[in-house]
Amino acid sequence: MAQQDAQNGVTENAAAAVSFLAVKPQLLVEAPKANDAVSFYKAAFDAEEVARALNPKRKADHELPLILSAELKIAGSTIIVADLVDDSASPLKAGGNGVVLCLETEDVQGAVAKAVSAGAVVEEEVAEIEGACCGGRVVKVKDPYGFVWLLCSPGKKSVDVEA
Amino acid sequence: MAQQDAQNGVTENAAAAVSFLAVKPQLLVEAPKANDAVSFYKAAFDAEEVARALNPKRKADHELPLILSAELKIAGSTIIVADLVDDSASPLKAGGNGVVLCLETEDVQGAVAKAVSAGAVVEEEVAEIEGACCGGRVVKVKDPYGFVWLLCSPGKKSVDVEA
């Protein structure tokens, strides 16, 4: 708490000026079904796949790489579909409900301070490659109503990271 | 099943031409906290409240009416916040995960046929006032990956329905 208070104190004024760039719902699909899910959304809702990032790690060479994030456009809105790996330390599995909300901002630190100041709780900071929805820094926060937001900088999503 | 097959047969060709208008994540908040949640999203994420529809039914006159849907803009995206009533027959409580996705279309019947054809299952048809996210007809479908979509016609969201 002391740390949170200090953080708020330092950044409170700056946080008021945080600018948010986009909100993207991310659907976490039991691995390795994200690829099938993308096909479903194309067939059912005319989704257009804009970008796909793959996880370079895989258990065996013959396995298909898991999807870190597939970015779909449905009716002009962006939806992210990702494989959810239960046996990893992936922060995504703890989303609680299968849907998290990616909120992009150039000022992740300011956004976190602002959210915490309003009542959100920081769950963890996510390593870049695990962030899945965004490039750069990703911080997972839970709001007072149980919803999980990934505060992240926009970025490398369109880069295919397959090794 | 026979009914579904017949429906698909009739509308299959038309369904291919279904046009989708918008996707709006809907956050279902344990009643009556939706109002607090809206305040939180304003403070934390600079949400702007565009419209609010209230449930005319309340248990007692002194109670605040519940929020059927509060439409927020965050970073240019629309998010719907709604009170989730456990003791009602509300379809929203069965979303399973607290977040459902409203998908607006002028052709709800065609959209349902198209989704079912791709593998979705119709959960139920929602009476207009319970739809919360949209006006007109609302059909709740679950996709093969467990996510709930409300296929609905766009509409009366901006009308305050408080009695």
Side-chain angles (χ1 to χ4, degrees):
Chain A
M1 287 303 289
Q3 192 182 356
Q4 278 186 1
D5 289 342
Q7 187 182 24
N8 290 347
V10 170
T11 58
E12 197 164 21
N13 290 334
V18 170
S19 174
F20 298 101
L21 304 173
V23 181
K24 298 175 181 174
Q26 184 173 30
L27 310 185
L28 306 174
V29 177
E30 184 190 359
K33 295 182 183 169
N35 187 60
D36 293 342
V38 168
S39 298
F40 170 82
Y41 297 126
K42 289 178 180 175
F45 304 138
D46 293 341
E48 180 192 354
E49 186 169 350
V50 176
R52 178 180 293 211
L54 301 174
N55 191 330
K57 298 177 192 167
R58 59 185 105 173
K59 287 180 182 170
D61 282 345
H62 66 273
E63 282 188 347
L64 288 175
L66 297 180
I67 294 178
L68 274 177
S69 71
E71 181 174 337
L72 307 182
K73 285 274 183 190
I74 301 177
S77 297
T78 300
I79 304 281
I80 308 287
V81 176
D83 271 316
L84 176 61
V85 183
D86 267 345
D87 60 358
S88 78
S90 168
L92 302 180
K93 73 176 175 188
N97 57 22
V99 181
V100 299
L101 296 154
C102 296
L103 181 54
E104 294 183 357
T105 174
E106 295 286 2
D107 181 6
V108 172
Q109 183 176 346
V112 170
K114 188 175 165 81
V116 167
S117 174
V121 175
V122 174
E123 298 265 293
E124 59 188 315
E125 182 149 354
V126 180
E128 188 168 330
I129 197 166
E130 294 181 304
C133 71
C134 321
R137 192 177 171 198
V138 182
V139 178
K140 179 180 167 188
V141 303
K142 183 175 278 189
D143 74 30
Y145 308 94
F147 301 103
V148 173
W149 299 73
L150 297 180
L151 303 177
C152 53
S153 43
K156 309 172 186 170
K157 196 181 314 100
S158 61
V159 177
D160 186 312
V161 298
E162 184 177 19
Chain B
M1 288 302 289
Q3 192 181 355
Q4 278 186 2
D5 290 344
Q7 189 181 23
N8 290 347
V10 169
T11 58
E12 197 164 21
N13 291 335
V18 170
S19 175
F20 298 100
L21 304 173
V23 181
K24 298 175 181 176
Q26 185 173 32
L27 310 186
L28 307 174
V29 177
E30 184 191 358
K33 296 182 183 169
N35 187 59
D36 294 341
V38 168
S39 298
F40 169 82
Y41 296 126
K42 288 178 180 175
F45 304 138
D46 293 340
E48 180 191 355
E49 185 169 352
V50 176
R52 178 180 293 210
L54 300 174
N55 191 330
K57 298 178 194 168
R58 59 186 103 174
K59 287 180 181 171
D61 283 345
H62 64 273
E63 283 187 348
L64 288 175
L66 297 180
I67 294 177
L68 274 177
S69 71
E71 181 175 335
L72 307 181
K73 284 274 184 192
I74 300 177
S77 298
T78 300
I79 304 281
I80 309 288
V81 176
D83 271 316
L84 176 61
V85 183
D86 266 346
D87 60 359
S88 79
S90 168
L92 301 180
K93 74 175 174 187
N97 59 21
V99 181
V100 299
L101 296 153
C102 295
L103 181 54
E104 293 183 359
T105 175
E106 295 287 1
D107 181 7
V108 172
Q109 183 176 346
V112 170
K114 187 174 165 81
V116 167
S117 174
V121 174
V122 174
E123 298 266 292
E124 58 188 315
E125 183 149 356
V126 180
E128 188 167 332
I129 196 166
E130 293 182 304
C133 70
C134 320
R137 192 177 170 199
V138 182
V139 178
K140 180 180 166 188
V141 303
K142 184 175 278 190
D143 74 31
Y145 308 94
F147 302 103
V148 172
W149 299 73
L150 297 180
L151 304 177
C152 53
S153 44
K156 309 173 187 169
K157 197 182 314 105
S158 61
V159 177
D160 186 315
V161 298
E162 185 177 20

